Amino acid sequence: MDQSVSLAGLNLKNPVMTASGTFGYGLEFTPYGDLTALGGIVVKGLSLKPREGNPMPRIAETPSGMLNAIGLQNCGVERFLSDKLPRLPWKETPILANLYACDPEEFGRLAELLAAEEGVAALEVNISCPNVKEGGVLFGQDPAQAAKVTEAVKKRCGTKPVMVKLSPNVADIVAIARAVEAAGADSLSLINTLTGMAVDVRTRKPRLANVVGGLSGPAVKPVALRCVWQVSRAVNIPVVGMGGISSAMDVLEFIMVGAHAVQVGTANFTRPDFAFRLVEDLPKVAASMGVTSWESFRGSLDVG
Amino acid sequence: MPKPTCHDVSVLRITPHGPEGLSHGLWLIELENPGWQTVRPGQFAMLRPTAWGFEPLWARPFSICRATPERLAFLIQAVGRGTRLLTGLRQGDTVTVWGPLGHAFNTEPGVRTLMLAGGVGIAPFVEYTAAHPTPSALSLLFGHRPPLSCYPYEDITRLVTASAFRETSPQDIPLFVARIEEAMADHAGGLALACGPTPFLRTVQKAALKLGVRCQLSLENRMACGIGACLGCVATDTEGRHVQSCTRGPVFWANEITL
Ligand SMILES: Cc1cc2nc3c(=O)[nH]c(=O)nc-3n(C[C@H](O)[C@H](O)[C@H](O)COP(=O)(O)OP(=O)(O)OC[C@H]3O[C@@H](n4cnc5c(N)ncnc54)[C@H](O)[C@@H]3O)c2cc1C
Ligand SMILES: Cc1cc2nc3c(=O)[nH]c(=O)nc-3n(C[C@H](O)[C@H](O)[C@H](O)COP(=O)(O)O)c2cc1C
Ligand code: FES
């Protein structure tokens, strides 16, 4: 079966992308597989200036998941464009830049810098990071704010498609999705991490210096599936699903509830060749489930 | 430098280390060598039994204690959930292993080199001693709590001068600190290498900076990916920057990081 997927201006050779913050700048994974085999690579969230992120400890293992409060440590847009992007196989595989800023104006400036680069195929706008003080998840919790950021990015992204990444930490994710769609987003990706915490009774301390962090991994998959199902039915733009994907069957589940493509996150930490193996497994597992085209399988969930 | 790889390999042997290792949770895990030609002493590997599924989620990092063309050996102390599960492995079980990872200790032939090890921190010095071109230039100071027979101490003393210090009560700590300072003072102009718990590394770092001894420290930060991608393992350098201890370390110069 043809594995390719077209996604609001992007042509992916298969539906498997890697999720921001879980695949570094891509280069870290080159010893473990062929980057050009992936459907797409979303790089670590970028800001205008480099950021050092939050103090340690900033990761904790939880049942079938993990908490992180990295706080968007990154090398800044300039170094990404000069040192990292040129070494990525952007001609063969779409590279998506994930961006984060403190206000809509800064989002716009960042979008302009990234969109001007030939090697950047699309922008993923992070309005949903739970680990930064300024803005962060707040943009993603208020439909009006989410729309403002989307407009600011759309205004300055030239012809590059804009994907907006949604937070599950809201009462009504559909309201946010609709607002972002109306503001011009080309596609949506969801979910970012769920706010959580872990504590140590012996030391009576939180396990993260930041006290709270973002939960990801197989533990969040049911929440992610629910969000993708609700949102994909409510909007007319493509949805990219993620949250706990850790097998080819999981990929099928997300597509069946309505996703066009998926992103693999925390599972990349369970073994560095995870995403590459998943890409190899997917056609076999899809065939064994009787899937003959992504188009016909997408959204085929039977809810009676 | 050869690229690291990720492979599923079999457990060749798993044994308590020495007659008393069993009661103190110290084990030697020997795995098939997945084809790593060049392992440099101080490098580490990530281990994750395939049977873990997604629970626990992360692999665990361990220093490569000994590497031969046929096998990789790790000295593992059961301190928590993951390490306890690892010591329950059986011969023939499958483990996903990726590496060799990180920066190694400096090898400076002919230069007087002091190895400072605390507890399981002795592991990388087995490979270091075996691989060193001039082992006669090496000496070891080893601090430990469980009996000496729980550790591969003998493997090292066959080749180099060594002394051990057993800590049986908190009152012993200042005595050990004094021993470290004495040994460091004796190595001015040489090289000192340390691996062990963070308070131990802090002591070594302080002495190195005070006495002006060139010194490298191997950090044992908690890791998720081991390859520089998650940014969960960072150490703070002296300019306040966060650097990945898996790829920029685990071995750092003592004057480069804040502990
Ligand atoms: C580069 C590197 C090399 C290492 N080499 C060895 C080795 O050769 N042999 C060996 O036995 N261990 C080694 N370690 C430490 C080992 O990785 C940890 O002991 C292990 O990850 C703990 O997992 P756990 O699930 O058993 O502990 P958890 O259940 O997660 O924690 C149990 C207890 O151990 C403490 N702990 C957890 N991780 C660490 C850590 N990284 N350092 C110190 N304390 C920790 C926790 O604070 C807690 O008190 C190394 C670590 C690194 C980063
Ligand atoms: C360590 C870590 C860092 C992350 N950093 C980012 C980031 O910089 N930008 C972003 O949009 N999402 C970030 N995320 C969220 C992931 O991209 C993803 O949305 C989330 O982890 C859910 O997917 P998963 O369960 O497959 O990991 C991060 C997640 C983790 C675990
Ligand atoms: S363990 Fe992931 S960056 Fe070091």
Side-chain angles (χ1 to χ4, degrees), chain B residues 74-115:
Chain B
F74 301 90
L75 175 70
I76 290 181
Q77 182 166 32
V79 293
R81 185 143 171 267
T83 43
R84 251 180 251 129
L85 283 169
L86 276 166
T87 58
L89 283 167
R90 294 286 160 262
Q91 187 181 350
D93 285 350
T94 312
V95 176
T96 305
V97 48
W98 60 99
L101 303 167
H103 285 283
F105 285 120
N106 262 29
T107 295
E108 302 181 1
V111 173
R112 286 200 321 134
T113 303
L114 171 66
M115 302 178 284

Side-chain angles (χ1 to χ4, degrees), chain A residues 51-138:
Chain A
R51 290 173 63 100
E52 291 303 331
N54 290 330
M56 290 284 281
R58 36 158 114 162
I59 52 171
E61 203 178 34
T62 61
S64 293
M66 67 178 277
L67 283 167
N68 91 81
I70 306 297
L72 288 175
Q73 179 177 345
N74 76 95
C75 64
V77 65
E78 212 172 288
R79 249 199 80 203
F80 170 72
L81 294 177
S82 63
D83 296 4
K84 316 275 186 194
L85 186 62
R87 288 150 65 203
L88 284 165
W90 53 267
K91 283 187 182 145
E92 291 89 25
T93 305
I95 309 296
L96 288 84
N98 178 282
L99 55 141
Y100 159 78
C102 296
D103 57 59
E105 160 62 21
E106 197 180 315
F107 264 110
R109 269 195 291 155
L110 195 50
E112 189 168 339
L113 286 170
L114 287 161
E117 287 295 318
E118 196 185 357
V120 172
L123 306 178
E124 182 179 60
V125 187
N126 181 3
I127 54 165
S128 47
C129 182
N131 296 324
V132 287
K133 281 202 197 82
E134 329 84 39
V137 75
L138 293 180

Side-chain angles (χ1 to χ4, degrees), chain A residues 145-175:
Chain A
Q145 286 287 328
K148 240 190 218 158
V149 171
T150 310
E151 277 164 17
V153 171
K154 272 303 280 184
K155 222 179 265 162
R156 294 167 78 171
C157 69
T159 57
K160 298 279 164 80
V162 173
M163 184 187 288
V164 179
K165 182 160 173 179
L166 306 184
S167 168
N169 301 315
V170 293
D172 183 3
I173 195 168
V174 169

Side-chain angles (χ1 to χ4, degrees), chain B residues 176-186 203 206-207 210-211:
Chain B
F176 185 45
V177 170
R179 283 280 292 276
I180 293 174
E181 290 193 351
E182 209 177 294
M184 293 282 275
D186 197 38
T203 302
K206 222 166 116 196
K210 188 171 93 187
L211 299 164

Side-chain angles (χ1 to χ4, degrees), chain A residues 61 202, chain B residues 44 60-64 75-84 120 123-124 218-223 250:
Chain A
E61 203 178 34
R202 267 167 302 159
Chain B
F44 69 100
R60 300 294 192 266
F62 297 97
S63 296
I64 299 165
L75 175 70
I76 290 181
Q77 182 166 32
V79 293
R81 185 143 171 267
T83 43
R84 251 180 251 129
V120 279
S218 179
L219 267 49
E220 294 200 348
N221 287 3
R222 190 166 293 243
M223 294 179 178

